[in-house]
Amino acid sequence: MPEKALKKLNSYILPVWKVCFFTALFVGLFAHFYKITNWLPNWDSLVFRYDEQNMIALGRWFLPVVCSFSSFYDLPFLNGITAIVFHALSGVCICKMLNVQSKITAGLIGAIIVSFPTVTSIMMYNYVADGYAVAFLLSVVGAMCLTKEKPNYITAIITIALAVGIYQAYITVTIM
């Protein structure tokens, strides 16, 4: 039954993770509301109103795959909400990696991640914001796999390779 499956799934999610996720979601919507409800053009968004993200020459071979799940159009609301959700999930992974027990700390982690200046600058390049948010999540998952008591090197290698295949700058997230 679906309700039993949801109840079982809910029992695996710690309350601290829920606080982190929903705080990140709320703060992300508040911080980026103007951007996700309006089209604020910059040079890239004028050129890339529609783009297949075929940036293999730049080493971003996985970016077209990730961006194909939402849209190749510059759709501020869809790409912005998707990016906020992926950043919120990244916050939950950081809480898990650092074994955060305090709800206040978890909420602050989520709020800082979605309102950080680099995330705000990513939102200005909205046509790839969702893809870059996935790269951030994959980098954090890779770091999480490496910092476990028994590290899972294969999963870490795959997630880090996919993150670097989206945008090479996210290797620094894993390193830090």
Side-chain angles (χ1 to χ4, degrees):
M1 300 307 271
E3 55 271 354
K4 287 184 181 180
L6 288 173
K7 220 176 222 183
K8 188 172 184 178
L9 178 67
N10 192 28
S11 68
Y12 290 118
I13 302 171
L14 296 179
V16 174
W17 300 348
K18 292 176 188 174
V19 168
C20 178
F21 180 81
F22 288 112
T23 302
L25 204 61
F26 177 75
V27 171
L29 288 172
F30 183 74
H32 306 293
F33 184 76
Y34 189 79
K35 174 60 181 145
I36 63 177
T37 57
N38 294 288
W39 187 61
L40 301 174
N42 59 20
W43 174 253
D44 280 0
S45 59
L46 291 173
V47 174
F48 297 117
R49 206 60 188 132
Y50 172 84
D51 189 52
E52 288 117 12
Q53 308 304 330
N54 190 3
M55 298 186 189
I56 294 173
L58 297 175
R60 300 178 191 168
W61 52 270
F62 197 57
L63 183 61
V65 176
V66 171
C67 288
S68 69
F69 290 111
S70 58
S71 174
F72 289 133
Y73 287 97
D74 186 7
L75 301 173
F77 191 77
L78 176 65
N79 295 350
I81 294 291
T82 306
I84 290 169
V85 167
F86 282 123
H87 280 102
L89 289 173
S90 301
V92 171
C93 291
I94 290 172
C95 285
K96 182 178 182 194
M97 183 171 45
L98 298 176
N99 197 20
V100 173
Q101 302 293 324
S102 168
K103 290 182 179 179
I104 294 172
T105 306
L108 287 173
I109 288 172
I112 288 170
I113 285 176
V114 296
S115 62
F116 205 71
T118 53
V119 174
T120 303
S121 67
I122 285 170
M123 296 297 262
M124 278 305 294
Y125 299 94
N126 207 300
Y127 65 99
V128 288
D130 53 344
Y132 290 171
V134 171
F136 184 75
L137 176 62
L138 289 170
S139 297
V140 170
V141 168
M144 191 173 66
C145 290
L146 290 174
T147 57
K148 285 182 174 178
E149 197 170 306
K150 290 185 179 181
N152 189 343
Y153 295 110
I154 302 297
T155 306
I157 289 168
I158 292 169
T159 56
I160 293 168
L162 293 175
V164 170
I166 296 171
Y167 193 45
Q168 297 82 6
Y170 285 100
I171 190 70
T172 56
V173 172
T174 306
I175 292 169
M176 293 308 291

